[in-house]
Amino acid sequence: MPEKKLEELPGVGPATAEKLRDAGYTDLMSIAVESPKTLAEVCEIGESTAVKIIAAAKQAADVGGFETGDQVLERRKNIHKLTSCSKAFDELMGGGFESQAIAEFYGEFGSGKTQICFQLAVNATMPEEKGGLGGEVVVIDTENTFRPERIVQMATALDLDPIETLQKIHVARAFNSHHQMLLVEKATELARDKPVKLMVVDSLTAHFRAEYIGRGALAERQQSLNKHMHDLLRFADLNNSVIAVTNQVAAKPDAFFGDPTRPIGGHIVGHTATFRIYLRKSKGGKRIARLIDSPNLPEAEVVITISEEGVRD
Ligand code: GTP
Ligand code: MG
C-alpha cells in the first residue's frame, strides 16, 4: 500500500507540508513518533494542531501494530547473512552479519573498525552464493576515512572487478550530526532505485560527541542519537539491509562515562544495536573481536587478522 502523502493529513496544507519536509519530516512515521512540542516549535504551528497532525500520522502509519509470532518468524526467514571473510568471525555472529539488524563495532583507535566496514562493503556487493548480499552499499563517512584504494585492494584480493565494486559503493561525507541524520533519509531515497543491502555509519557517535558538550547537553544528545538509531533500524527493516556502525571508546575518562573501555552513547546505542562487537588490538596485526551483546548468541571472542587483503581468519 503506498504511503499517504503529508498533504493528506488533516490540518496539513501545502505550506505546513513544506515546513515539515524542510525540518526533515518526510514520512508519516517520523511525524507519528515526534512529540507535539517539538513538532509545533520546528514547524511554527500551534501545539494543538501538532497533536492532531501526530494523531493522524499515527493512524496512517500504523504505529505500534502487533505482529503474531509466526509473522515475525516469516519476516525473519528473509534475513540474509553477510560474510566478513573470516570464518571464525562469521561463526561468532551465527553465520555472518544479519540483515534487519545493527552491528556496532567499538574499540580504540586503530582497532580495526573502519577496516572491517570496508571489508563488509566489498563483500555486500558479492553474490549471495559467495556470502555476499548481491547489493549496493551506502557509506556515511563522518571522519573522512573512506579510502577507495583500500576497497580496490580488498576487491582485487577476492577476484572482484575493483571498479565495478567501487561503483556499487555510495559514499557521503557527513559534516555534522544533523547532516548525518539527513543522509539516512537520502539513503532511503537512493534505496528506491538501488538494492542498498548494507549501510555503514563510520563513526556513529563522533559528531554527537563533539557537538553536545557538557552534562546539560546529555539528554538532548541521547535523544538525537536515539532517533538516529531508530532511523537506521527502520532502514534495515524496510530494505532487508545490514547496518554496520562504529563507535569509539572514551580514551580518557569521559565526563559521562568514567570507564575508558565503555563505548560512547551509553544505553541508547547499546540497547538499539542488535549486536555489539568489542575490538581490541593484539600482537602482529591480529585483532580480538568479542561479541558483547546479542539477542540469541553467546558472548564469545575470536581472533582475526587485518592485512593488505583485508579481514581474514
Ligand atoms: P579509529 O577510526 O581511529 O578509531 O580507528 P579504527 O578502529 O577505525 O581503525 P582502522 O580500522 O582504520 O584500523 C587501522 C589499522 O588497520 C592500521 O593501524 C593497520 O594496523 C591496519 N591496516 C590498515 N590498512 C592496512 C593495510 O593496507 N595493510 C595492513 N597490513 N594493515 C592495514
Ligand atoms: Mg576508523
Side-chain angles (χ1 to χ4, degrees), residues 119-313:
Q119 186 71 62
L120 292 178
V122 170
N123 295 358
T125 69
M126 293 197 298
E128 285 178 40
E129 311 86 75
K130 293 176 95 179
L133 301 172
E136 307 211 356
V137 179
V138 164
V139 177
I140 299 178
D141 180 11
T142 75
E143 307 197 291
N144 201 16
T145 52
F146 180 78
R147 292 292 175 272
E149 298 82 0
R150 284 295 281 147
I151 301 289
V152 168
Q153 287 175 332
M154 291 182 185
T156 306
L158 292 170
D159 286 328
L160 300 170
D161 184 308
I163 296 303
E164 269 174 34
T165 307
L166 283 170
Q167 283 167 345
K168 291 178 185 162
I169 302 176
H170 309 265
V171 188
R173 278 287 304 282
F175 293 102
N176 55 49
S177 67
H178 188 78
H179 187 203
Q180 182 178 332
M181 293 172 75
L182 214 62
L183 285 170
V184 179
E185 271 167 44
K186 290 280 160 215
T188 307
E189 283 166 28
L190 186 73
R192 288 190 194 123
D193 298 328
K194 313 255 182 209
V196 178
K197 292 297 165 195
L198 169 70
M199 169 135 62
V200 171
V201 186
D202 185 13
S203 137
L204 175 75
T205 46
H207 281 317
F208 288 91
R209 192 185 191 198
E211 291 164 26
Y212 296 90
I213 301 161
R215 218 161 256 286
L218 180 60
E220 213 185 321
R221 177 179 82 175
Q222 295 305 76
Q223 243 169 43
S224 293
L225 253 177
N226 188 33
K227 180 178 186 307
H228 188 38
M229 290 297 282
H230 281 94
D231 288 348
L232 292 172
L233 209 45
R234 181 142 189 274
F235 185 94
D237 276 346
L238 281 177
N239 299 291
N240 199 16
S241 311
V242 176
I243 310 282
V245 305
T246 71
N247 196 355
Q248 283 95 343
V249 290
K252 55 179 191 242
D254 183 277
F256 310 126
F257 309 108
D259 180 349
T261 64
R262 289 275 307 271
I264 314 289
H267 293 305
I268 297 293
V269 174
H271 289 309
T272 319
T274 326
F275 302 95
R276 312 195 90 182
I277 298 115
Y278 177 43
L279 295 168
R280 52 191 209 278
K281 288 185 236 180
S282 178
K283 283 177 218 125
K286 292 194 166 54
R287 301 287 189 284
I288 299 163
R290 181 169 188 87
L291 181 64
I292 298 288
D293 196 5
S294 135
N296 56 345
L297 297 168
E299 184 164 332
E301 60 183 35
V302 295
V303 179
I304 56 173
T305 57
I306 294 176
S307 67
E308 190 175 314
E309 290 82 50
V311 176
R312 295 291 185 274
D313 272 319

